[in-house]
Amino acid sequence: MKNVVIIGASGHGGVVLDCIEKEGKYNVVGFIDTYKKKGTKFNDYFILGSEYDLRYLMEKYQFSSGIVAIGDNWVRKTMVNRLLNIIPNFDFIKVLHPTASVGKNVTIGRGTVLMPGAVVNSNSTIGEFCILNTNSSLGHDGVVGDFSSLAPKVCTGGNLSLGKYSAICLGANIIDNITIGQHSVVGSGTLVLGEIGSYVLVYGAPAKEIRRREIGEPYMSGGGKKSSVISLVSGEK
């Protein structure tokens, strides 16, 4: 089996590790993490170093592939860019948990993870470095832009168009034929009945715009500068 590393030793990284082990296509040699001490263990695997050690680690552990396991969409994008600046030809794998269900004529980009019980219905396109979390469902003919995410138990109808870097949070429901712009966040438990623009935070049933968002603004609970609204709508850690 091909050796791989996981970039990001967090709770999300632990779930990605489980998906890789269950899929059985790759051999994980360890984690890379900027903020964890080298030589310590996470989920029974060693922290090998940081991304700045990558060239040395690739030679030592005989790998050229891996996956970025960072839950926040913009932070994941930043790390991917950093890795490509260090190793321009680094190979990003995609990971599909064996309980994920993928329909006919589905396209899934590199670096994307489908977690346990995720459903992708026919004729859908998922971009690069996306996350479809546990028991989330993407309806037929959906289009999910690069670096976007569906949280656990999100349910979307057919013909969703989800813009790059946007996040649909825990348990939200999206009816058919909805377009959501870039860098937007749909809060936990929200019911989306109409189009949502870019750079907005929406919440409620039906969804209402709470405020505008900035590129790179944290939205996951436990993230950096967290407001009570962000904590409320995310439902993730």
Side-chain angles (χ1 to χ4, degrees), residues 126-175:
I126 302 172
E128 298 183 341
F129 306 101
C130 296
I131 301 168
L132 269 66
N133 221 308
T134 306
N135 293 328
S136 60
S137 176
L138 178 65
H140 65 83
D141 299 282
V143 177
V144 175
D146 297 344
F147 295 97
S148 58
S149 59
L150 307 185
K153 293 193 175 180
V154 165
C155 181
T156 77
N159 297 294
L160 170 72
S161 177
L162 180 63
K164 293 181 179 180
Y165 314 106
S166 288
I168 304 177
C169 295
L170 194 72
N173 291 284
I174 320 292
I175 68 166

Side-chain angles (χ1 to χ4, degrees), residues 52-148:
Y52 301 108
D53 303 314
L54 195 55
R55 288 188 182 277
Y56 162 74
L57 293 173
M58 288 173 69
E59 182 175 349
K60 180 176 180 180
Y61 294 98
Q62 295 296 296
F63 69 88
S64 59
S65 305
I67 190 160
V68 177
I70 296 174
D72 182 281
N73 294 336
W74 186 255
V75 178
R76 189 165 64 258
K77 162 69 170 175
T78 302
M79 178 55 73
V80 168
N81 286 351
R82 192 180 302 168
L83 293 170
L84 289 175
N85 282 333
I86 298 168
I87 308 290
N89 61 343
F90 191 77
D91 176 38
F92 293 98
I93 64 171
K94 58 187 174 185
V95 177
L96 281 62
H97 191 277
T99 63
S101 176
V102 179
K104 187 175 182 179
N105 297 327
V106 168
T107 301
I108 300 173
R110 63 175 180 161
T112 288
V113 180
L114 269 58
M115 292 193 172
V119 176
V120 182
N121 282 303
S122 60
N123 304 310
S124 292
T125 300
I126 302 172
E128 298 183 341
F129 306 101
C130 296
I131 301 168
L132 269 66
N133 221 308
T134 306
N135 293 328
S136 60
S137 176
L138 178 65
H140 65 83
D141 299 282
V143 177
V144 175
D146 297 344
F147 295 97
S148 58

